[in-house]
Amino acid sequence: MRFLVRDRILGFGDDYWIEDEQGNKVFLVDGKAIRLRDTFELKDTRGRVLIDIHQKMFALRDTMVIERDGEPLATIRRKRLSLLRNHYRVSLADGRTVLDVSGKILDREFAVEYEGELLAVISRRRLSVRETYGVDVVRDDADPALLIAVAVCVIHLAEKERED
């Protein structure tokens, strides 16, 4: 499954659509600009909130939290020792499952893996539309909304780190 995400050109607080390969709108990323912490909502085409994404307020490192129906789903933070490439760790709420995100985050060229198995590839390659990147969900049993939320969070964290 491939989804196309238009990069946020104007920055935080912008809303943008995520489309499927046929150009149909599938998800809306709704940025909430007037909040104390960075907050996004991933909505379906009817406006129902599927996933809430927000910055954890009191954390030593920048951390984003993903929630579904008010329940924690995942926590994302940069790995401590990642010198050559950007590495982020996604800890799912079950406490046992950890996803690894690595690659060139700011270039939109990275992968999401679970125990060495590829779940999704985020890439700008082979896309003719400018300022767009693809989220290719590799496994059929993977949760596309969660993987898109992970991509949105990781890119947001990397951009914040670059600004600091």
Side-chain angles (χ1 to χ4, degrees), residues 49-145:
V49 177
L50 303 174
I51 291 181
D52 289 303
I53 305 166
H54 58 85
Q55 181 179 4
K56 194 169 184 177
M57 287 297 288
F58 302 106
L60 295 176
R61 293 180 286 159
D62 281 341
T63 303
M64 299 291 289
V65 177
I66 298 173
E67 295 179 346
R68 180 176 279 149
D69 299 324
E71 297 293 320
L73 186 59
T75 303
I76 301 172
R77 62 178 53 96
R78 184 178 163 98
K79 281 175 116 176
R80 291 180 194 200
L81 300 173
S82 56
L83 302 174
L84 299 176
R85 295 166 53 116
N86 291 321
H87 286 268
Y88 289 83
R89 174 160 291 173
V90 181
S91 302
L92 298 186
D94 66 9
R96 298 183 317 265
T97 308
V98 176
L99 307 180
D100 184 48
V101 180
S102 63
K104 297 177 181 178
I105 308 296
L106 294 174
D107 292 337
R108 310 310 191 252
E109 298 293 335
F110 59 96
V112 180
E113 297 178 340
Y114 170 65
E115 293 184 348
E117 186 177 342
L118 190 61
L119 296 179
V121 175
I122 291 75
S123 178
R124 278 195 171 141
R125 285 186 218 146
R126 299 177 302 193
L127 291 178
S128 59
V129 181
R130 228 179 118 105
E131 301 302 327
T132 299
Y133 60 92
V135 177
D136 291 312
V137 179
V138 177
R139 286 187 44 164
D140 292 334
D141 61 344
D143 181 350

Side-chain angles (χ1 to χ4, degrees), residues 16-36:
Y16 53 99
W17 282 97
I18 297 171
E19 301 172 347
D20 62 14
E21 286 185 284
Q22 290 76 36
N24 301 314
K25 294 177 179 176
V26 181
F27 300 109
L28 173 69
V29 177
D30 185 2
K32 304 296 182 183
I34 307 179
R35 302 278 171 101
L36 292 175

